[in-house]
Amino acid sequence: EIVLTQSPATLSLSPGERATLSCRASQSVYTYVAWYQQKPGQAPRLLIYDASNRATGVPARFSGSGFGTEFTLTIMNLEPEDFAVYYCQQRTNWPTTFGQGTRLEIK
Amino acid sequence: EVQLLESGGGTVQTGGSLRLSCEASGFTFKSYAMYWVRQAPGKGLEWVAYLSASGGTTNYGDSGKGRFTISRDNSKNMLFLQMNSLRAEDTAVYYCAKEGYCAGDCYSGLDHWGQGTLVTVSS
C-alpha cells in the first residue's frame, strides 16, 4: 500500500498570505495525484487532478505541482473561504489512498 | 447539474447489515466509475470500494473486504453498497463519489461527491 504523508498537519496563516501544502508518497505515484478541499459539515471538493490540473470552477489562486513522490498544493493570496482541511489522494494502483490531511487555519 | 444523493444510513447493531444507495443524476451514469469513501467522526477520508463503469471490475479497501459489496444498476442510475457483519469501527459518514474523465494516461480525481449518509454501529 502506498502511504501518503501530508505536512504540516496544521498551517496557520492570515488572509492574503500564500499557503504551501506538501504530500509525500512512499513510492512513485507518477502524476496520479488529486487534491481535495473539505469544509466542516461538507463533502470533499476536487481542486486539482493529475497533480497539476485545476478542476472545473476552481480559482486560479490554487495550483498543484510535483511528480513521483513529492507534490505541492499552493494557494496564493488566501481568501477567508480557503481555510479548510486539504487532502491528497493517489490512484496509481489499488488500494487508492488518501493523506491524513492538512488543516489550514486562520492565524 | 451533477447530483449524487445517498440514502440508507442509520443506526445498526454490531453484526448487522445495511444497504446504502446513491442516486445519480445530471450525467451519463453508465459511463463513469464510482466509489464509496467514508469518514469516521473527526477523522480523515478512507476509500471503501470501487466499481467500474460497466460493473465488471470491483476493488475493496481492506476494511470492507469480504463484508461489503458494491454494485450498480445502470438502468436506474443507482449505486449501492451492501454492508454486512458491521463493526463499531465502520461508524462513519459514507460518501458516493464519481470518478472524472481524463484524456490519456492520467488521473481525473473524484470530481463529484454526494452529501454523505451517516452509519452508526452500536453494541
Side-chain angles (χ1 to χ4, degrees):
Chain A
E1 173 176 318
I2 296 174
V3 177
L4 298 180
T5 302
Q6 292 187 240
S7 61
T10 302
L11 184 58
S12 300
L13 294 171
S14 300
E17 292 191 296
R18 179 176 67 183
T20 303
L21 287 67
S22 173
C23 176
R24 176 174 293 178
S26 58
Q27 64 188 75
S28 178
V29 294
Y30 306 97
T31 60
Y32 303 144
V33 167
W35 288 91
Y36 303 89
Q37 176 194 67
Q38 188 178 32
K39 297 179 181 179
Q42 295 185 16
R45 170 198 180 195
L46 177 66
L47 297 175
I48 301 290
Y49 67 92
D50 207 44
S52 61
N53 298 280
R54 270 190 306 279
T56 302
V58 175
R61 62 181 183 273
F62 290 88
S63 64
S65 63
F67 178 88
T69 61
E70 300 283 345
F71 298 87
T72 301
L73 175 69
T74 302
I75 313 171
M76 303 291 292
N77 300 319
L78 283 166
E79 296 283 349
E81 61 267 27
D82 298 337
F83 292 90
V85 179
Y86 293 85
Y87 295 94
C88 57
Q89 179 211 9
Q90 68 79 23
R91 178 58 177 88
T92 306
N93 51 30
W94 299 105
T96 180
T97 51
F98 291 89
Q100 82 282 13
T102 289
R103 179 178 304 276
L104 177 58
E105 64 177 26
I106 299 178
K107 188 173 183 180
Chain B
E1 179 192 4
V2 172
Q3 290 195 337
L4 298 169
L5 185 62
E6 301 97 336
S7 61
T11 300
V12 62
Q13 287 193 323
T14 302
S17 298
L18 275 179
R19 188 193 197 205
L20 305 184
S21 300
C22 174
E23 182 178 3
S25 61
F27 66 103
T28 306
F29 179 71
K30 64 182 180 181
S31 297
Y32 292 90
M34 298 293 295
Y35 291 64
W36 286 99
V37 176
R38 71 184 184 183
Q39 187 169 37
K43 302 298 184 182
L45 301 172
E46 179 188 15
W47 167 66
V48 174
Y50 161 90
L51 183 58
S52 62
S54 67
T57 301
T58 58
N59 278 297
Y60 296 93
D62 285 344
S63 60
K65 270 179 192 171
R67 300 187 300 129
F68 295 176
T69 302
I70 188 172
S71 62
R72 65 194 297 162
D73 184 340
N74 284 344
S75 69
K76 296 181 179 178
N77 293 348
M78 296 291 295
L79 178 73
F80 305 101
L81 184 68
Q82 177 67 44
M83 303 188 295
N84 299 328
S85 303
L86 284 163
R87 308 164 179 164
E89 55 265 36
D90 295 319
T91 294
V93 173
Y94 285 72
Y95 296 101
C96 70
K98 166 188 170 290
E99 189 173 84
Y101 171 75
C102 193
D105 189 13
C106 52
Y107 176 51
S108 59
L110 304 179
D111 64 355
H112 289 87
W113 297 63
Q115 86 292 345
T117 187
L118 176 62
V119 172
T120 303
V121 184
S122 67
S123 53

